[in-house]
């Protein structure tokens, strides 16, 4: 089920994806009909534009600070904070500063 990550080893999720200048970097850990799990690293000022997911999307910020717009509400999340963005509701993600997050979408 898990890919692109070592098993039977103590890991720090934020170390599993690296920043790259001017980019949003992603690393998929799980992808199937029921769940997807992806790590992201956002450079400051980079974004994922408005879109909607086919399932509930739970994000947990691993380091730094991100801005999440869900419908008409804005949320600023820092390391250790989690937000669930409901299925079919438009949302976007913006790097207020460099930040990393884990995204889990349940279908």
């Amino acid at each position: 089920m898990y890919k692109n990550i070592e098993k039977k080893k103590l890991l720090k999720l934020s170390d599993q994806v690296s920043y790259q200048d001017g980019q949003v970097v992603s690393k998929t850990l799980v992808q199937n009909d029921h769940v997807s799990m992806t790590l992201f690293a956002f450079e400051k000022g980079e974004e994922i534009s408005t879109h909607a997911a086919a399932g509930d999307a739970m994000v947990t910020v691993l380091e730094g600070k991100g801005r999440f717009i869900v419908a008409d509400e804005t949320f600023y999340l820092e390391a250790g904070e989690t937000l669930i963005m409901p299925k079919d509701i438009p949302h976007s993600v913006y790097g207020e500063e460099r930040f990393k997050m884990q995204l889990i979408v349940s279908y």
Side-chain angles (χ1 to χ4, degrees), residues 17-27 38-49 51 93-95 97 99-101 103:
V17 64
S18 300
Y19 295 110
Q20 291 185 20
D21 289 340
Q23 294 186 30
V24 175
V25 177
S26 65
K27 182 176 185 178
T38 308
L39 301 176
F40 288 89
F42 284 72
E43 276 293 337
K44 181 177 181 176
E46 294 300 316
E47 68 181 313
I48 296 176
S49 60
H51 64 285
V93 184
Y94 180 79
E97 57 184 54
F99 87 102
K100 293 181 181 180
M101 70 177 201
L103 169 68

Side-chain angles (χ1 to χ4, degrees), residues 1-84:
M1 180 175 287
Y2 284 91
K3 59 183 182 178
N4 302 319
I5 194 165
E6 292 185 65
K7 297 177 183 176
K8 294 186 357 179
K9 182 178 178 183
L10 182 61
L11 302 169
K12 186 174 179 185
L13 287 179
S14 62
D15 291 344
Q16 302 304 305
V17 64
S18 300
Y19 295 110
Q20 291 185 20
D21 289 340
Q23 294 186 30
V24 175
V25 177
S26 65
K27 182 176 185 178
T28 300
L29 304 181
V30 176
Q31 184 71 54
N32 61 47
D33 292 340
H34 305 287
V35 66
S36 71
M37 182 184 304
T38 308
L39 301 176
F40 288 89
F42 284 72
E43 276 293 337
K44 181 177 181 176
E46 294 300 316
E47 68 181 313
I48 296 176
S49 60
T50 303
H51 64 285
D56 288 339
M58 181 173 78
V59 294
T60 300
V61 172
L62 303 172
E63 67 181 41
K65 183 178 183 179
R67 179 177 73 208
F68 299 79
I69 299 175
V70 183
D72 294 329
E73 293 185 71
T74 301
F75 302 87
Y76 295 91
L77 276 73
E78 297 182 7
E81 296 180 325
T82 298
L83 174 68
I84 297 176

